[in-house]
Amino acid sequence: DAPERCVVKKGDTLWGIAATFLRDPWYWPEIWYVNPNIANPHLIYPGDELVLTYVDGKPRITVDRPGDTRLSPQIRSEPLANAIRAIPYDLLMNFVGRPQLLDKDDLKTRPYVVGMRDQHIVGSDANELYAQKLGKPAVGTRYTIVHPGEELRDPDDGDLLGYIGYYAGIAQVVDPRGSTGIKDDVTHLMVVETAREILQGDKLFPTQVDIGNDFVLSAPKNQQLNGQVIAVVDGVHVAGKFQVLAINRGKRDGLEPGNAVAIFERGEPVRDRYERGSLGWREYSTNYKKVQLPDERSGTILLFSVHDRMSYGLVVESTHVLRRGDLIAHPAYG
């Protein structure tokens, strides 16, 4: 039921557009045809019209762009709108700007709160604090303060992968002219917003984060991918569409940003009380045979941040709630 034509609208994502043409959107690179006569042919803009054609019997998607027609005098027209992204990046900004799942290796070098003015033990609104490892940021630069919480461990071997992060507040760099300047590596900040107490050792992250270039939709190269969901963002127990999950697989398992990963709900073991033709509860026995119900596909995540042993993904489709402990696999599995 793929349409022959589709007009790109503001707010569309590449994942959503690919899903209108393909049952499995991660195959998009195999049908996308780069128009050689268009500047930036890899990018798609609102107003572009995507056309489904067939070349040698194979489906291809091409783009008709307003302004491509030659006029007199000759001009080249470029859309004023930004190109669409693979997934809704405004949702990711909440996660990246206020990280809630923290990678272990990143925390080792992350700037942190080293002390507070006036001998305060905890920080709150309008308190002043000092940070290490920020370098020499400009006055007025803001940082998000995150408190490392519970450990995230690999369920396979128990190794520490990271921590749950709790948003503590925002601090702004203070003009250093009133300080002695003895320690160039210490930065003076003022707390401008708090959500919980700020403690020594809390980590600092830039409030303005560039997520970077967009990525290509793809399936993992590792066909035998297997692992688990180890955390759900916000510390909740279940997740749905457009929430962030962490999995215990990363670069060492062949994963990269843009990979689609399937999520499977674990099948439960049940006792078959009717195997022998009995009437179930009426004939009680402790020797009922156990039957393992199958694992069922419950959703798909698209990875946007991949570390050595763990990755973060945005839920792009779900048919059932997703939970910590759910299985992950190649999207073509099952």
Side-chain angles (χ1 to χ4, degrees):
D1 60 348
E4 293 184 357
R5 291 178 175 269
C6 174
V7 178
V8 181
K9 302 181 295 296
K10 184 177 181 180
D12 281 346
T13 62
L14 185 56
W15 176 270
I17 289 175
T20 66
F21 289 99
L22 292 164
R23 182 189 64 187
D24 301 324
W26 51 88
Y27 285 118
W28 178 261
E30 298 189 21
I31 67 169
W32 175 247
Y33 175 79
V34 175
N35 301 47
N37 62 318
I38 295 179
N40 297 328
H42 291 280
L43 303 180
I44 304 174
Y45 296 87
D48 287 348
E49 187 172 22
L50 305 182
V51 183
L52 173 62
T53 60
Y54 287 84
V55 179
D56 297 329
K58 296 181 179 180
R60 293 286 184 267
I61 301 294
T62 61
V63 59
D64 282 344
R65 179 162 299 167
D68 288 338
T69 305
R70 291 189 177 185
L71 305 175
S72 181
Q74 221 173 24
I75 65 169
R76 172 176 292 177
S77 174
E78 280 293 330
L80 295 177
N82 293 327
I84 65 170
R85 308 294 296 253
I87 50 180
Y89 268 60
D90 55 332
L91 299 176
L92 297 190
M93 289 306 299
N94 293 330
F95 174 80
V96 177
R98 296 185 177 185
Q100 295 159 312
L101 302 173
L102 310 176
D103 180 70
K104 176 192 67 174
D105 295 328
D106 178 55
L107 286 191
K108 291 180 180 179
T109 58
R110 177 65 50 188
Y112 59 93
V113 175
V114 70
M116 302 181 197
R117 191 172 181 179
D118 298 328
Q119 300 181 354
H120 285 184
I121 299 175
V122 298
S124 185
D125 286 340
N127 286 168
E128 298 176 48
L129 52 83
Y130 301 93
Q132 288 271 37
K133 297 185 178 181
L134 278 179
K136 296 183 178 181
V139 174
T141 304
R142 293 193 168 196
Y143 292 90
T144 299
I145 305 171
V146 177
H147 177 72
E150 295 86 356
E151 296 178 340
L152 295 175
R153 291 193 174 272
D154 192 327
D156 293 341
D157 53 23
D159 284 354
L160 178 64
L161 301 180
Y163 300 86
I164 299 292
Y166 294 102
Y167 170 70
I170 294 177
Q172 180 173 296
V173 176
V174 173
D175 191 335
R177 287 180 293 182
S179 304
T180 60
I182 296 175
K183 289 287 187 181
D184 292 335
D185 55 344
V186 174
T187 304
H188 188 178
L189 302 102
M190 172 75 73
V191 179
V192 296
E193 176 184 312
T194 55
R196 54 167 289 158
E197 67 275 9
I198 298 171
L199 303 173
Q200 185 180 31
D202 285 354
K203 306 298 181 177
L204 277 74
F205 296 79
T207 55
Q208 299 295 326
V209 181
D210 182 8
I211 299 180
N213 296 327
D214 207 6
F215 43 71
V216 177
L217 306 181
S218 59
K221 297 177 182 178
N222 181 4
Q223 294 279 342
Q224 307 304 317
L225 178 68
N226 65 84
Q228 297 184 39
V229 175
I230 60 173
V232 179
V233 77
D234 294 329
V236 296
H237 297 288
V238 297
K241 191 173 182 180
F242 295 148
Q243 285 187 272
V244 175
L245 304 180
I247 62 175
N248 66 332
R249 295 293 182 263
K251 293 178 182 177
R252 65 165 59 182
D253 305 289
L255 295 178
E256 57 187 27
N259 281 169
V261 175
I263 308 294
F264 286 82
E265 181 182 8
R266 291 178 181 270
E268 298 180 355
V270 297
R271 291 186 180 275
D272 186 356
R273 297 182 173 89
Y274 298 89
E275 178 192 13
R276 302 169 188 170
S278 66
L279 297 180
W281 290 109
R282 299 182 186 181
E283 299 180 19
Y284 179 78
S285 172
T286 59
N287 298 321
Y288 291 127
K289 178 182 178 182
K290 283 188 176 182
V291 177
Q292 179 67 43
L293 300 183
D295 303 329
E296 295 287 354
R297 179 75 171 264
S298 56
T300 305
I301 62 173
L302 204 65
L303 303 183
F304 63 88
S305 179
V306 178
H307 302 270
D308 187 44
R309 294 188 56 180
M310 65 184 295
S311 302
Y312 304 136
L314 184 74
V315 179
V316 289
E317 57 186 18
S318 64
T319 56
H320 291 73
V321 295
L322 312 180
R323 297 179 174 87
R324 180 177 177 178
D326 282 353
L327 303 176
I328 66 168
H330 191 279
Y333 175 76

